[in-house]
Amino acid sequence: MAKPYSARSRAIEPFHVMALLARANELQAAGHDVIHLEIGEPDFVTAAPIVAAGQAALAKGHTGYTAARGLPALRQAIAGFYGQRYGLDLDPARIMITPGGSGALLLTSALLVDPGQHWLLADPGYPCNRHFLRLIEGEAKLVPVGPGEQYQLNAQLIAEHWDAQSAGALVASPANPTGAVLGLDALQALGEAIRARDGHLVVDEIYHGLTYGMDARSVLEVNDEAFVLNSFSKYFGMTGWRLGWLVAPPQAIPALEKLAQNLYISAPSIAQHAALACFEPATLEIFEQRREAFRERRDFLLPALRELGFDIAVEPEGAFYLYADISRFGGDAFAFSQFFLEQTYVAFTPGLDFGRHLARQHVRFAYTQALPRLEQAVERIAQGLQRWQG
């Protein structure tokens, strides 16, 4: 008999939502009208100017490798975007273009974490963060957070949970699954607490641009030593193009470039050429229109779910998720999600995917469907609750 697969592959947990998604697709193939609120992917197709730029790049034969750091023109465009949006004078040499935000996370974790070391992470949080750490033989130290902490790490929690094996902390603003945003004061305090302990602060800013009634602030406005992960998937709507970027301190770039050369050579060339169109004024206007659509969806779904009895203690300021406590309805979140999928054909995500802290009494709704579909979903959930509680 062959030896078992690696311990790291066995330790990395699957997405529980993928089982629900597979069942949702089965039901859909059988002719049922499934409303998908489980996957964190915008329903908007890639904006036309980006598609046109990608097609033009193909026609011109831009199909080879790029430098490991990415296209110089794209790094320059991103640096210009930081100047426009945050008032930052960012050196393009500090930017690495990566295969999605996941590529940026892979580079950063491989650079900063040795075997047996850990980052502090908020629980609940995006599951791949802890799985990437396991892949490089590091660990995630999950810190329980709730409404009292606005679902975010803070300087006090860093002080309480830091130990000899702590290498740093990873926070997300806006966060998945809660939509919680960190202000400049909080980001500065986190950076100071971690710097005092000779650690590194890594900030996931993947949902920047998707905030409502306010603009998210970049950690780079107050901390030039932070590592920033970002992506073209969410605000820029390029999920399938697999493109992201990493901003790092200048002294880290040579080591990151070496890792990129060995791990993936370069990010997809066609996607990089296409992404140049993201920063044109007409394309940015499309993104802003889509941001407004997401705001309208949040402003409908949040009070509608609260009226049905879901406890959403903190109004999300960003991303496109609602993290809801279902404890008043009784039962386990996974069984709850399965019930509503089978009985009402509405798919949403059980909290088990996002950590361990009160995970079995939470579910996540992604408002990545148009308003009429959200209205239908609320009607079905209302009917389903009568059966669930009956």
Side-chain angles (χ1 to χ4, degrees), residues 261-339:
Q261 290 166 345
N262 283 275
L263 291 172
Y264 55 77
I265 300 178
S266 66
S269 57
I270 301 304
Q272 293 189 61
H273 283 280
L276 288 168
C278 288
F279 305 102
E280 297 172 359
T283 317
L284 289 169
E285 179 59 31
I286 294 171
F287 302 147
E288 288 302 303
Q289 292 170 1
R290 293 178 175 183
R291 168 160 52 169
E292 176 61 18
F294 280 122
R295 185 197 62 76
E296 291 175 354
R297 296 173 184 186
R298 182 203 63 167
D299 290 350
F300 163 74
L301 190 59
L302 176 62
L305 290 177
R306 281 174 167 169
E307 188 172 343
L308 291 179
F310 291 89
D311 184 6
I312 305 170
V314 177
E315 179 173 312
E317 295 179 304
F320 35 66
Y321 306 113
L322 297 173
Y323 196 60
D325 188 333
I326 61 164
S327 54
R328 71 180 57 183
F329 303 127
D332 172 83
F334 191 77
F336 189 82
S337 300
Q338 284 184 309
F339 174 87

Side-chain angles (χ1 to χ4, degrees), residues 40-48 50 77-78 81-82 84-86 101 173-174 204-212 214-216 229-245 275 277-295 317-321 368:
E41 181 173 23
D43 56 324
F44 300 108
V45 299
T46 299
I50 302 171
I78 292 170
F81 186 67
Y82 275 87
Q84 171 192 336
R85 187 142 294 193
Y86 307 107
S173 176
D204 169 350
E205 297 185 353
I206 285 172
Y207 290 94
H208 269 223
L210 293 175
T211 52
Y212 315 109
M214 50 87 72
D215 288 321
L229 318 176
N230 213 319
S231 172
F232 285 93
S233 291
K234 308 302 182 181
Y235 177 67
F236 298 99
M238 295 180 66
T239 50
W241 298 77
R242 305 313 306 134
L243 197 66
W245 74 85
C278 288
F279 305 102
E280 297 172 359
T283 317
L284 289 169
E285 179 59 31
I286 294 171
F287 302 147
E288 288 302 303
Q289 292 170 1
R290 293 178 175 183
R291 168 160 52 169
E292 176 61 18
F294 280 122
R295 185 197 62 76
E317 295 179 304
F320 35 66
Y321 306 113
T368 50

Side-chain angles (χ1 to χ4, degrees), residues 12-27:
I12 291 174
E13 304 167 17
F15 277 159
H16 293 87
V17 71
M18 298 313 294
L20 286 170
L21 177 61
R23 178 56 180 156
N25 289 336
E26 288 178 1
L27 291 168

Side-chain angles (χ1 to χ4, degrees), residues 69 91 93-95 224-227 247-256:
R69 291 192 192 187
D91 185 352
R94 295 178 56 188
I95 300 171
D224 210 40
E225 293 298 308
F227 291 76
V247 183
Q251 65 272 18
I253 293 298
L256 289 166

